[in-house]
Amino acid sequence: FVRLQTLNYEAKYSFPQWLGINFTGGINGMYQINKNIDATDFPIPDYRLFDIGSFLTAKKEINKWVISGGIRFDNRMIQWKDFFIRGEPMTGFTKQVMYPDTAKSSIAFPAFHQQLSGLSGSLGIVYNISNTLTVKGNTSRGYRSPSIPEIGSDGLDPGARIYYIGNRNFIPEFNWQTDIGIFLNYPNIDFQVELFNNNITNYIFLQKLYNANGQALELVPGNFTYQYKQGSAQLFGLDAAMAWHPKTMPWLIFQHNISAIKGINTDNESLKLLGEDAKYLPLIPPLKTVSRLRLNLFKQKMAASEYFFQTEIETAAEQNNFYAVDNTETKTNAYLLINTGGGFNIVNKKDIPVCKISLQINNLFNIAYQSHQSRLKYFEYYQTSPNANSGIYQMGRNLVIKAIFNW
């Protein structure tokens, strides 16, 4: 039971154009206060967090070229005081206590203060070769400060059946990314392909812990224990999409998307120590595709118009490239899902839409499947799984009805 209060702020200014260059500068950030309220489990402490970042971007168009870039500096301050807890004999639960009532208590989270900062930036170029062909390229340096759970966790998340342990000595992640893209736009069909490569230092990930006897460590009985680790990594892959919208059949649209990503552990120290089981990164999605066929009926009937019907096929390949150290992850099977739905607009006497109604059935055939990125895949209390697969499955057949009103 926590109360998290967040204030986001931003101020930016667009400067007058200078030598054909458009400049924009500003600051933005976030202020957070987290407080436990009558809780009995304490995964993270009470804390205060303050983020501030300043940035400057520039953009210039030269004939068929568009050049843009930016630079940014971020600073994060995190702090919390000693966090005391004490068992209550009357209830059997643990509660937070504060000065001066700290007798017979213990410190769950010692006081902490840290300031983190980082410089990031990017430079990108777009070249419009013709009305139908565009190419782009971008290189950037990114920054990510460790989150509160990654730094301060030391407790049970009952919803995931995992006891998380953070690391107070973490430093920010930095990366260098390069991506290129090709875009083709024709009257009847559009194509786009984007490739990327991302090298990350101080990469943060989770690893399952085991005791000296080789058994899964359970700091809280019946719950696995995971600790945040830091290393280096490489991520690379592609995103591609196609949309067919024939001018002779304006009521028909066919779309197909594909995404592929591979995550490699490039930390030589951990590879020497842990071997091939540490070759891949955790929580990396497999090859995924989505195909969608949509039929639009624009003819108006009574008080409704713009009927549409669509069917979607979603696939995920088998994920054999996983972080296998101490069974932190296991292989995830492939799956194929079919979603379908439709909808229409309700219009008034002036033919102005006043409400949009849609109905969608996801996982139409009620397929039992698991996402490789789901923490619930490893949520299993049985000693021997009754269905030969541990963990909780994703959502089965479900019906979604949505109404959007225009005021």
Side-chain angles (χ1 to χ4, degrees), residues 234-387:
Q234 180 186 16
L235 298 169
F236 58 92
L238 68 86
D239 289 297
M242 179 272 286
W244 180 50
H245 40 79
K247 297 185 81 173
T248 56
M249 295 182 287
W251 45 269
L252 175 65
I253 300 175
F254 176 72
Q255 298 171 305
H256 183 71
N257 298 74
I258 183 170
S259 61
I261 183 171
K262 198 165 188 178
I264 304 295
N265 181 3
T266 58
D267 190 81
N268 291 327
E269 221 173 280
S270 66
L271 288 170
K272 286 180 182 178
L273 181 65
L274 303 171
E276 284 293 303
D277 285 351
K279 181 178 179 181
Y280 299 105
L281 301 177
L283 296 176
I284 300 298
L287 173 71
K288 290 187 175 182
T289 68
V290 177
S291 301
R292 182 182 300 110
L293 180 66
R294 181 179 172 115
L295 305 177
N296 296 306
L297 304 178
F298 298 105
K299 290 184 179 180
Q300 183 168 322
K301 182 180 180 182
M302 301 295 288
S305 68
E306 297 187 22
Y307 298 88
F308 76 90
F309 303 93
Q310 70 179 28
T311 297
E312 185 178 87
I313 299 175
E314 178 184 344
T315 71
E318 188 175 75
Q319 182 56 288
N320 288 310
N321 300 330
F322 53 89
Y323 189 77
V325 175
D326 293 330
N327 292 316
T328 294
E329 288 189 332
T330 57
K331 182 187 81 169
T332 304
N333 294 328
Y335 61 84
L336 183 150
L337 307 177
I338 295 180
N339 311 315
T340 188
F344 57 88
N345 284 346
I346 297 176
V347 298
N348 60 20
K349 293 180 180 180
K350 297 180 180 180
D351 294 336
I352 298 174
V354 294
C355 180
K356 184 174 183 178
I357 306 292
S358 64
L359 183 148
Q360 178 83 7
I361 303 175
N362 297 317
N363 194 1
L364 178 64
F365 295 105
N366 204 33
I367 301 299
Y369 74 100
Q370 290 177 310
S371 167
H372 187 72
Q373 294 172 283
S374 172
R375 297 179 304 173
L376 300 180
K377 181 186 171 190
Y378 308 99
F379 195 130
E380 183 66 87
Y381 279 108
Y382 299 105
Q383 293 296 319
T384 303
S385 177
N387 54 18

Side-chain angles (χ1 to χ4, degrees), residues 85-104:
I85 60 172
R86 180 174 62 207
E88 293 295 302
M90 293 290 292
T91 64
F93 291 111
T94 302
K95 65 176 292 186
Q96 179 186 5
V97 294
M98 300 181 183
Y99 283 120
D101 181 25
T102 56
K104 298 182 180 180

